[in-house]
DNA sequence: CTGCCATTTTACCGGC
DNA sequence: GCCGGTAAAATGGCAG
């Protein structure tokens, strides 16, 4: 592979290794999340319900951000302040 | 295929045709949506912005529903009223 | 919002509500589809395979329609049955 | 919410915030990954193929790790280097 | 033809 | 150990 494509092969390898590194970090964080859930569960909390709470809180956060932009978008859609 | 699997083949065909029928209706609605966007665009509105508005309004709606459940979930997670 | 953009605001609202209505119907149909898959699955069919079958049948149909359309175009070009 | 469940509520909040923090970091990494793919694409590489490569390399790595793990188990079972 | 967004498909995780 | 459901990835489709 080293001589196939020359420079391009090196660039490709670089991109792929960057991605793999990032994915590893993501996987490590996912493991951390699992640990926290496990700890919470052992403390007596219900994991399934916690997941729902977290999902809903995320919706809330997204919604807050949504609100901040909605009026601006209406104005834009109406051709005001464009 | 008619004799392969006998009854099962018929059931499978029935399921698949039901799904295909529903998918056709979905596609028709999608076409309708596209038409409305096209009409709006020809009236001078910005389609991309409209899409964002609709997405954000959906978030709002989802959020409202989320709020209705969140406290209950907290209680559940805390083992109250379980 | 009522006085932002006047008439335009009303038209915008109308377009958006039409689209939202259509999207709701689409979502309802998607739910129906999921139900049918669920029923098929509980009957013992493999959902993933069913999806493949449906995708292939759709390709066939699209091809067939393309062929028919092409034939019509040829006829038209030749002044037949136009 | 402050007086719902007392101490338990505080613990719950703590767990949930830890998880949310970790999830944010995960999301940031996911965004980084998307950026790298975008950069690679703009350099002329095919993203879909890159994904396949990465998936295959991951399988290899997992296999390798599985093999190494198995070897360790055998050693352990045999009382070597334990 | 490119980039973006929705939908679909895959993979994971907890529960039974 | 499998199943059901939920989150992430990937593909396909549409607008620009």
């Amino acid at each position: 592979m080293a001589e196939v494509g020359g420079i391009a092969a090196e660039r490709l390898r670089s991109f792929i290794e960057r991605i793999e590194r990032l994915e590893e970090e993501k996987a490590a964080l996912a493991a951390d999340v699992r640990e926290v859930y496990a700890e919470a569960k052992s403390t007596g909390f219900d994991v399934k319900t916690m997941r729902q709470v977290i999902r809903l809180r995320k919706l809330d956060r997204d919604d807050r951000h949504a609100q901040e932009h909605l009026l601006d978008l209406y104005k834009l859609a109406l051709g005001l302040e464009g």
Side-chain angles (χ1 to χ4, degrees), chain A residues 16-34:
Chain A
I16 283 179
E17 287 174 355
R18 278 165 70 193
I19 290 166
E20 286 173 341
R21 176 84 179 93
L22 291 167
E23 292 289 357
E24 272 175 46
E25 294 179 39
K26 264 180 62 184
L29 286 170
D32 290 347
V33 168
R34 247 177 286 130

Side-chain angles (χ1 to χ4, degrees), chain A residues 1-72:
Chain A
M1 181 76 196
E3 303 81 14
V4 179
I7 298 297
E10 269 318 299
R11 288 222 72 184
L12 178 60
R13 170 182 303 276
S14 167
F15 281 130
I16 283 179
E17 287 174 355
R18 278 165 70 193
I19 290 166
E20 286 173 341
R21 176 84 179 93
L22 291 167
E23 292 289 357
E24 272 175 46
E25 294 179 39
K26 264 180 62 184
L29 286 170
D32 290 347
V33 168
R34 247 177 286 130
E35 270 185 59
V36 178
Y37 276 119
E39 189 188 344
K41 179 177 183 176
S42 75
T43 311
F45 293 113
D46 179 67
V47 170
K48 186 173 178 180
T49 307
M50 285 179 66
R51 285 185 187 277
Q52 288 184 60
V53 168
I54 285 167
R55 190 163 61 249
L56 292 177
R57 279 167 60 101
K58 186 169 192 308
L59 276 184
D60 290 351
R61 243 176 290 127
D62 291 349
D63 171 69
R64 190 154 310 118
H65 296 152
Q67 287 293 354
E68 291 168 6
H69 295 293
L70 193 52
L71 181 58
D72 288 346

